[in-house]
Amino acid sequence: MTVSAGQRSIAVLHAGDTPPGLDAAVTDVLGDADVRLATADELPAALPGADTLLVWDFTSDAVRDCWAAADAVRWVHTASAGVDRLIFPGLVESDVVLTNSRGVFDTPIAEYVAGLVLAFAKDLPRTLAQQARREWHHRETEDVAGTRAVVVGGGPIGRAVAAMLTAIGQRVDLVGRTASDGVHAIDDLPALLPEADTLVLAAPLTDRTRGLLDAAAIDLLPRRARVINVGRGPLVVQADLVAALEQGRIAGAALDVFETEPLPADSPLWTMPNVIVSPHMSGDTTGWRDNLVALFADNLARSRDGRPLRNVVDKNRGYVSERHR
């Protein structure tokens, strides 16, 4: 898919952390261009006449709230892999092209997940807690090799996670929307859960995946299982997960995303000994913002030249389909 050449006006939604080197990157591609930096409150004034929208603050609902002001936008690019905040009727039903930052976060997230699997198996949270108390308690830990992981998400992040977990010795079942070579269909998930030592959620948030891990699904997991969510918070019915953790129905959870972010200070997840909480950072490694700008600049050059854009999202599905890679 292409976007008409000659785009000159770019609105950028940010939250005070403006994209590093964006002006220089845009100048390199377009020469003199109108770049309008805007916070959520400023976006309604920045959108009129802009033909491109860069959603740098991908946690905001500002685009949905002021979409009526986007009178000339032909292309929206988000600095995230997930696009759930942009899948609203006005954008979906329009001819506006939506692209995401698929590819930037794959390896960092896979490394993060592998680190969590190892941290749980080797009981590192307890080791650090005991170190802080200067307590010496010898104990045994778990093997990782030979255990089974179920990874939900058949896209590049899920595939990278599956490859990384395979490398540390886990046997991995990868689950996607539909079955393909080496990938189970989502309908196969209930049959896979009873054998899962680790359940990794790395799927996009869609109508099909919202609330995927609820009480019924959790009840299919063995008591030894641990849940790792690096996808989106609403993939999990958080109250059901908290109840399962409190009752010892599963062994633990590592959560990088939540129903409400930041996670409220009164959430019981903060103090559960079998839970690792991190602030939506699994894909954010040194230089990640530069990589996001570089991807946007590459797509900007493609739009200028009339070439197909990278990572075009199927707006009806809510993710990049294989034919739009």
Side-chain angles (χ1 to χ4, degrees), residues 112-287:
Y112 199 86
V113 170
L116 292 169
V117 170
L118 291 167
F120 273 133
K122 303 310 174 185
D123 204 16
L124 293 183
R126 189 183 309 184
T127 295
L128 294 173
Q130 291 180 354
Q131 178 183 345
R133 297 191 298 265
R134 303 189 183 193
E135 295 176 357
W136 181 280
H137 293 302
H138 180 271
R139 61 200 187 280
E140 296 176 347
T141 62
E142 304 169 12
D143 290 321
V144 171
T147 60
R148 183 171 294 279
V150 174
V151 178
V152 182
I157 292 175
R159 290 176 182 273
V161 169
M164 195 72 68
L165 296 184
T166 299
I168 63 173
Q170 287 196 298
R171 296 173 293 158
V172 180
D173 292 304
L174 185 60
V175 178
R177 187 179 67 89
T178 58
S180 60
D181 186 26
V183 181
H184 296 274
I186 191 67
D187 291 340
D188 296 335
L189 184 60
L192 297 172
L193 291 179
E195 301 302 320
D197 297 286
T198 305
L199 172 63
V200 181
L201 302 179
L205 180 62
T206 66
D207 290 341
R208 179 68 178 84
T209 61
R210 185 180 296 274
L212 180 71
L213 189 67
D214 58 8
I218 292 170
D219 283 345
L220 294 175
L221 290 167
R223 296 179 71 89
R224 67 181 184 276
R226 298 182 177 104
V227 173
I228 298 174
N229 189 7
V230 290
R232 285 291 186 264
L235 296 176
V236 176
V237 179
Q238 195 163 291
D240 291 352
L241 179 61
V242 168
L245 291 163
E246 289 176 336
Q247 297 163 16
R249 285 189 279 134
I250 57 173
L255 307 172
D256 188 54
V257 288
F258 304 88
E259 289 178 346
T260 300
E261 296 181 9
L263 182 65
D266 61 354
S267 170
L269 292 167
W270 283 112
T271 55
M272 288 183 169
N274 54 348
V275 174
I276 297 175
V277 169
S278 57
H280 204 146
M281 57 178 279
S282 61
D284 302 346
T285 53
T286 303

